[in-house]
Amino acid sequence: MATQAPALVIERADYADPRDAADLIALLDAYARDPMGGGEPLSDHARAHCVEGLAATPGAFSLIARRDGEAVALATCFTTFSTFIAAPLVNIHDFAVVRQAREEGIGRALMQAVESEALKRGAAKLTLEVLSGNAPARALYAACGFSDYQLDPTAGQAMFWQKRL
């Protein structure tokens, strides 16, 4: 008897739906615990307030990938505006596939879903940040058409910096 491949469904999260909210937090926590997410669990504050904060943020959206009903991947994105293009852009803030579902094409399918949602929003480009040591993520992003950002090669590549407040 032939076995059927697990069904993958990717949907936009409804922040008011308890299942979507719980899956979002579980996926985000799994990502946070991963070495590429910092290696620490989500704080109690983040667990309690992340979903409501996303719901209150204009332009925020999350996509959850479920394989046979089980949440296995997450993309959390923010629609903002590109001044040089004078059009919306979508920044992918979180992008994660749980360890047991990696190398199955789920990341690529999730990225395609993000791109589709961005196009629906009229976005002219996608942006994201990635750790230089995260070779699997960098390979996926490159395969999906992402590259280093630069305006003039003599000025170098853009660098993503942060300052905690």
Side-chain angles (χ1 to χ4, degrees), residues 6-9 11 19-20 23 64-72:
L8 183 69
V9 176
E11 297 176 311
R19 178 184 182 216
D20 284 358
D23 283 349
I64 297 174
R66 292 185 176 95
R67 182 180 56 194
D68 286 342
E70 179 187 351
V72 294

Side-chain angles (χ1 to χ4, degrees), residues 105-129:
I106 294 170
R108 184 179 294 273
L110 182 58
M111 189 60 77
Q112 289 170 343
V114 169
E115 185 171 332
S116 178
E117 182 64 27
L119 289 169
K120 287 179 194 172
R121 293 167 180 260
K125 71 177 180 177
L126 293 171
T127 62
L128 55 76
E129 58 262 12

Side-chain angles (χ1 to χ4, degrees), residues 3-126:
T3 59
Q4 187 173 357
L8 183 69
V9 176
I10 301 172
E11 297 176 311
R12 204 166 102 199
D14 176 352
Y15 297 135
D17 179 88
R19 178 184 182 216
D20 284 358
D23 283 349
L24 188 150
I25 293 299
L27 289 164
L28 193 59
D29 184 60
Y31 177 35
R33 290 172 186 266
D34 188 271
M36 293 302 141
E40 298 286 332
L42 283 183
S43 69
D44 290 341
H45 178 81
R47 287 175 180 279
H49 300 287
C50 183
V51 175
E52 73 185 41
L54 287 167
T57 302
F61 67 94
S62 300
L63 300 177
I64 297 174
R66 292 185 176 95
R67 182 180 56 194
D68 286 342
E70 179 187 351
V72 294
L74 170 71
T76 298
C77 308
F78 297 93
T79 306
T80 184
F81 190 78
S82 170
T83 54
F84 282 16
I85 301 173
L89 69 81
V90 169
N91 175 258
I92 303 167
H93 186 67
D94 300 311
F95 192 91
V97 177
V98 296
R99 185 170 307 281
Q100 63 270 26
R102 292 180 184 162
E103 298 183 27
E104 297 178 18
I106 294 170
R108 184 179 294 273
L110 182 58
M111 189 60 77
Q112 289 170 343
V114 169
E115 185 171 332
S116 178
E117 182 64 27
L119 289 169
K120 287 179 194 172
R121 293 167 180 260
K125 71 177 180 177
L126 293 171

